[in-house]
Amino acid sequence: MLTKAPKGTKDILPAESYKWQYVEGIMRDVCARFGYREIRTPVFEHTELFLRGVGDTTDIVQKEMYTFEDKAKRSITLKPEGTAGVVRSFIESGMAGAAQPTKMYYLACPVFRYEKPQAGRLREHHQFGIECFGSQEPSIDAEIISVALTVFKELGIKGLELNINSIGCKECRTGYNKALLAYLDKNKSGLCKDCRQRMKTNPLRVLDCKQDSCSKIVADAPKMIDYLCGECSEHFEGLKGRLAAAEIDYKINPLIVRGLDYYTKTVFEIISTDIGAQGTVCGGGRYDGLVEELGGKPTPGIGFGMGMERLLLVIESLGIEIPEPSLCDVYVCTLGEKAAKTGFGITEELRAAGIKAECDHMGRSMKAQMKYAGKIGAAKVVIIGEDELDKNEAVVRDMTQSEETSVALDRLVDLIKKLKA
RNA sequence: GUGGGUAUAGCUCAGUUGGUUAGAGCGCCAGGUUGUGGCCCUGGAGGCCGUGGGUUCGAUUCCCACUACUCACCCCA
């Protein structure tokens, strides 16, 4: 063939798209119950949005963005995450002027990162995400987490682990950074090359390093949680209290840092151990400084992103069955040109009546048409040949019972409507 | 960006210690009744054996390079 789908991209084929639609339906439903409305933002944005929003020391910005110049020499970037575009839209369209908080979700939103593909990691993937602006109360942190967990629950997914942490605000982080740096500096010789660089750019990242030597050192490093200021500490306690009230199990994981610069206070990940090394199905947190950073009035915010592909991997690995919608209720089988015309008219009438109807488009024999009707799962077959046409009748065959009855053509559509109802 | 594995039909995979026309199962199409699906039987279509080079009388098989896929690191959803 001429070319293949680009590296790290995947087609969602007709044979599996119903799974996406099913999952999306549950997401829409859960969001509606929690009071979130859908927002759709462009697939590409001005590059500077992500430089400021995601943070220019992050791996995402430094080496993973699909950035190009358009014909007017504007620097454009395919979105590498969902939040920045929503924040831009929040500011640009003046949503702060409407009733607060502002609660929004996006569905199956394509996200692009130039990565090396592996299990659960693609160059184009899709995220379901929600964002909420305007509230600094810990109750919204708990609600956001609950939206994600409710989606998992309603999909029948069990065994995921919720990890939470607080990385504090700007104020408490400076104190913590000092303590962390002092500790790391003492143990510098045991750190990997990358981590020594991270000490200069973003010391928090060292906590995330998976190198054995580094993680040993990190295990005894000062913990952010112990350095939270009064307000942040109170906020974190408020979150824990609400999770407990909602009977949501969680684990406090002081090593969760997240790779995007905008997070403050609450961060969380929901992790699966069933889908390979890339087990984070959902990740998110609070970003109280982001709206202001992008030129809006100071406004707190919080949200999460959930990977659709990873979610479907979890569903598959757990063996969760998603109901596959039937392709066809009635197949209209005809013999000869005259009957084919009549049959085509009946097929259209059935469709107009809301029935999934099919007829022959291959010039096939009756046997082949029956075979095809069986393959596409038709519950009934209407048979019209010369004999039936002469009598203005059709035979209706029930494919599961293998029973046939003759019906007058002018009563056919009504009868089938009744049978379906 | 770094490392491991793999590459034969639409799919899952045999195979050739280097030798003529490369196989199976499933799937697809047709026939077995000029009017009846699932089961069964028969037949058919469909492969530059990933690409390029090397060794050889001869390479799908051996060697090298490249590419793609895949898994892991890194990072993240």
Side-chain angles (χ1 to χ4, degrees):
Chain A
M1 64 184 297
L2 184 62
T3 79
K4 299 196 280 184
K7 193 188 194 72
T9 67
K10 275 210 165 81
D11 298 315
I12 298 161
L13 300 170
E16 60 194 2
S17 54
Y18 73 92
K19 294 181 185 171
W20 284 68
Q21 290 166 355
Y22 175 82
V23 169
E24 288 166 16
I26 284 178
M27 289 166 172
R28 284 187 194 284
D29 187 57
V30 169
C31 283
R33 268 183 279 152
F34 278 81
Y36 290 72
R37 293 185 295 172
E38 186 178 4
I39 181 170
R40 303 185 192 193
T41 65
V43 163
F44 57 86
E45 297 273 1
H46 293 293
T47 302
E48 60 208 84
L49 175 66
F50 303 117
L51 298 184
R52 283 295 279 282
V54 177
D56 45 21
T57 64
T58 60
D59 274 14
I60 291 180
V61 166
Q62 284 192 339
K63 45 192 198 196
E64 296 185 345
M65 295 209 302
Y66 277 90
T67 297
F68 59 96
E69 259 188 13
D70 71 6
K71 289 179 195 289
K73 310 266 184 217
R74 287 178 279 250
S75 181
I76 296 293
T77 296
L78 267 30
K79 54 171 125 167
E81 54 91 55
T83 301
V86 175
V87 173
R88 192 224 78 229
S89 178
F90 173 82
I91 299 168
E92 187 172 346
S93 61
M95 286 184 218
Q100 295 301 308
T102 303
K103 310 208 290 189
M104 298 183 274
Y105 73 94
Y106 48 88
L107 199 55
C109 159
V111 169
F112 305 87
R113 288 179 206 164
Y114 193 87
E115 310 212 50
K116 193 148 171 192
Q118 69 182 74
R121 195 173 70 184
L122 295 161
R123 288 186 173 178
E124 181 196 30
H125 77 278
H126 299 81
Q127 289 190 10
F128 159 61
I130 71 177
E131 314 287 353
C132 179
F133 298 93
S135 168
Q136 49 192 345
E137 296 300 314
S139 59
I140 195 69
D141 302 47
E143 178 178 291
I144 293 273
I145 289 170
S146 178
V147 169
L149 294 177
T150 303
V151 167
F152 292 132
K153 188 176 170 193
E154 303 212 349
L155 285 166
I157 295 173
K158 287 179 186 150
L160 298 185
E161 189 177 76
L162 168 63
N163 285 253
I164 64 171
N165 188 27
S166 176
I167 58 172
C169 61
K170 231 193 257 168
E171 282 73 42
C172 38
R173 213 177 303 166
T174 44
Y176 174 68
N177 268 345
K178 255 185 226 161
L180 179 62
L181 264 177
Y183 173 83
L184 292 177
D185 203 53
K186 242 190 328 187
N187 297 280
K188 207 165 159 184
S189 55
L191 292 173
C192 70
K193 205 178 74 205
D194 286 340
C195 282
R196 269 177 250 163
Q197 181 58 35
R198 287 181 184 120
M199 283 174 62
K200 289 175 199 147
T201 53
N202 195 341
L204 275 181
R205 285 274 154 61
V206 176
L207 301 182
D208 228 7
C209 187
K210 267 89 177 177
Q211 301 271 335
D212 278 350
S213 53
C214 295
S215 53
K216 262 182 215 151
I217 291 171
V218 163
D220 295 322
K223 309 252 183 300
M224 184 70 233
I225 294 182
D226 301 327
Y227 286 77
L228 294 180
C229 67
E231 186 196 321
C232 289
S233 167
E234 197 181 316
H235 185 273
F236 196 50
E237 289 306 314
L239 169 62
K240 289 193 283 185
R242 280 175 179 78
L243 291 178
E247 296 181 341
I248 292 171
D249 289 330
Y250 62 88
K251 190 177 125 188
I252 294 174
N253 181 348
L255 300 183
I256 293 185
V257 174
R258 320 265 330 128
L260 296 90
D261 275 356
Y262 51 62
Y263 286 114
T264 55
K265 291 184 180 167
T266 307
V267 290
F268 66 95
E269 290 185 5
I270 300 171
I271 298 165
S272 162
T273 51
D274 296 319
I275 56 171
Q278 310 298 317
T280 303
V281 183
C282 179
R286 184 166 273 282
Y287 45 83
D288 287 346
L290 185 56
V291 174
E292 190 176 6
E293 178 76 27
L294 295 178
K297 288 187 188 145
T299 308
I302 179 168
F304 69 68
M306 189 184 292
M308 299 285 295
E309 283 85 354
R310 286 188 190 170
L311 179 64
L312 285 158
L313 286 178
V314 171
I315 287 173
E316 193 174 352
S317 79
L318 294 179
I320 293 170
E321 297 279 342
I322 292 175
E324 186 170 4
S326 78
L327 250 183
C328 179
D329 299 321
V330 179
Y331 181 88
V332 179
C333 173
T334 59
L335 287 142
E337 173 63 11
K338 214 175 140 194
K341 281 182 197 153
T342 307
F344 187 79
I346 289 169
T347 306
E348 289 285 288
E349 260 189 84
L350 289 168
R351 288 168 175 164
I355 289 159
K356 293 177 196 163
E358 287 285 346
C359 62
D360 178 53
H361 297 299
M362 301 290 285
R364 280 198 257 239
S365 69
M366 180 166 186
K367 177 178 176 154
Q369 288 186 57
M370 292 300 293
K371 209 171 184 174
Y372 179 68
K375 265 182 220 166
I376 62 175
K380 301 246 186 297
V381 173
V382 169
I383 300 165
I384 307 171
E386 302 283 321
D387 302 349
E388 288 81 7
L389 215 50
D390 288 344
K391 292 188 276 181
N392 257 319
E393 281 183 350
V395 168
V396 176
R397 179 181 178 85
D398 183 308
M399 294 294 271
T400 48
Q401 310 290 322
S402 297
E403 282 168 3
E404 298 187 354
T405 45
S406 288
V407 180
L409 278 183
D410 52 8
R411 287 185 42 233
L412 184 63
V413 172
D414 277 346
L415 177 78
I416 289 173
K417 265 159 74 177
K418 257 182 232 152
L419 285 176
K420 226 218 143 185

